[in-house]
Amino acid sequence: REQAAVAVERLAGVTRERFLRDIYPRRKPVVLTGLELGACTTKWTVDYLGQAEGSKEVKIHVSTVPQMDFLSKNFVYRTLPFDVFVQRAAEVKHKKYFLTEDEKYYLRSVGEDVRKDIADIRKQFPILAEDVHIPEYFEKEQFFSSVFRISSAGLQLWTHYDVMDNFLIQVTGKKRVVLYSPRDAPYLYLSGTKSEVLDVDNPDLEKYPLFVKAKRYQCVLEAGDVLFIPALWFHNVISEEFGVAVNVFWKHLPAESYDKTDTYGNKDPMAASRAIQILDRALKTLEELPEEYRDFYARRMVLRIQEKAYRNDYG
């Protein structure tokens, strides 16, 4: 059966200097508590949120099931005035609804033009942005995006990785986050940046037998907690209560490493994309050989990749 979860370390009152010196280089998730996040932690009630940003339209995910799946797209996109959306997301049963009376809602803020503009809470939700103090444990020019998120209670987001470091700032409500190390990618049944294993608590082990090998890290975020999620760490998030969060992403590779068309922070770095294209061409070339030879040279290629590119200093 699945291994017991490893608790993500919780650290109180960590300064920028200590984070950069002691925590950041380890490249492991950590929950930071007791940080100064501004007035948002006390002000952001359902009523205040609605009054602050009013009736501007927002595009939201609506799902009839708790586990949202980006691969099968088991949700629909709908548009609501922001104040109406917040009220509905906070309810368990709805008098007005799109699909069912117990449907769940999820807002992930985006830029004005999703193909060109990144999410920036200062631009999309300027009044609420004044209430938030984002811990700037990175240089200003490294900033990539600040994503405003609101979830219905019980909603679970698919397991995925991002290519940038980020802080998940839990402003109100409670979330449970399950994480997996980048080195456990072989056990997560990936399709692009996402895992096919939706139910991480009760996985279908006939369909996903290797999933038990993935080492599970877990934490519960209370209001005011900040989770550092290093780039490439897989994460699966369930909102145990209606909650509001702000995600801030930053670039820790040189700026030219990133795909300029990436507005979500989840496209593979340029060099990685090129390497995958080259590998696909190499595999196509192998098809010219009979099966016995193809198998032999494919195994040699795997050994070469392991020898040249794998790290051996993982803790």
Side-chain angles (χ1 to χ4, degrees), residues 121-244:
I121 191 172
R122 294 167 298 188
K123 291 179 182 167
Q124 286 99 42
F125 298 91
I127 296 163
L128 294 178
E130 289 177 15
D131 300 334
V132 188
H133 174 73
I134 290 173
E136 292 193 355
Y137 287 17
F138 51 90
E139 299 302 325
K140 278 200 166 27
E141 60 272 16
Q142 289 179 286
F143 171 83
F144 175 71
S145 67
S146 49
V147 181
F148 186 55
R149 299 182 190 270
I150 298 181
S151 302
S152 293
L155 187 77
Q156 188 166 8
L157 281 185
W158 54 88
T159 305
H160 67 284
Y161 71 86
D162 300 293
V163 300
M164 295 183 197
D165 292 334
N166 75 88
F167 280 149
L168 175 55
I169 301 163
Q170 191 63 24
V171 180
T172 70
K174 191 160 100 176
K175 276 196 177 90
R176 186 200 72 177
V177 187
V178 174
L179 303 110
Y180 301 95
S181 160
R183 73 175 315 188
D184 282 345
Y187 315 132
L188 297 178
Y189 298 88
L190 297 186
S191 178
T193 61
K194 301 158 190 75
S195 168
E196 291 178 17
V197 186
L198 279 192
D199 191 341
V200 295
D201 300 311
N202 297 291
D204 180 344
L205 294 180
E206 283 191 12
K207 198 172 179 185
Y208 308 115
L210 296 177
F211 186 70
V212 289
K213 295 189 174 187
K215 186 175 178 181
R216 174 185 176 124
Y217 294 77
Q218 187 168 308
C219 61
V220 172
L221 299 181
E222 307 279 355
D225 287 348
V226 177
L227 172 62
F228 167 53
I229 306 177
L232 309 182
W233 273 76
F234 296 88
H235 43 289
N236 177 290
V237 181
I238 184 165
S239 297
E240 298 194 341
E241 301 168 349
F242 164 78
V244 184

Side-chain angles (χ1 to χ4, degrees), residues 25-39:
R26 287 170 20 203
R27 311 300 298 157
K28 284 197 167 177
V30 64
V31 178
L32 306 173
T33 67
L35 298 186
E36 178 46 58
L37 300 175

Side-chain angles (χ1 to χ4, degrees), residues 49 53-62 76-89 98 105-112 124-125 128 148 150:
L49 289 166
E53 296 289 351
S55 59
K56 68 171 162 206
E57 304 242 295
V58 286
K59 191 176 183 184
I60 53 171
H61 302 67
V62 182
V76 295
Y77 292 105
R78 291 291 182 267
T79 304
L80 277 177
F82 180 72
D83 50 0
V84 175
F85 155 71
V86 176
Q87 291 287 344
R88 282 213 211 167
F98 294 108
Y105 298 90
Y106 172 58
L107 168 70
R108 185 244 189 249
S109 66
V110 291
E112 312 314 314
Q124 286 99 42
F125 298 91
L128 294 178
F148 186 55
I150 298 181

Side-chain angles (χ1 to χ4, degrees), residues 213-284:
K213 295 189 174 187
K215 186 175 178 181
R216 174 185 176 124
Y217 294 77
Q218 187 168 308
C219 61
V220 172
L221 299 181
E222 307 279 355
D225 287 348
V226 177
L227 172 62
F228 167 53
I229 306 177
L232 309 182
W233 273 76
F234 296 88
H235 43 289
N236 177 290
V237 181
I238 184 165
S239 297
E240 298 194 341
E241 301 168 349
F242 164 78
V244 184
V246 178
N247 236 169
V248 59
F249 291 84
W250 69 92
K251 301 174 176 182
H252 72 292
L253 303 178
E256 61 274 13
S257 304
Y258 298 100
D259 187 326
K260 298 240 181 327
T261 66
D262 186 5
T263 55
Y264 285 92
N266 60 9
K267 285 193 178 178
D268 292 318
M270 301 294 280
S273 296
R274 288 199 306 275
I276 289 166
Q277 287 168 0
I278 293 164
L279 177 62
D280 286 341
R281 287 203 296 275
L283 292 170
K284 191 99 183 110

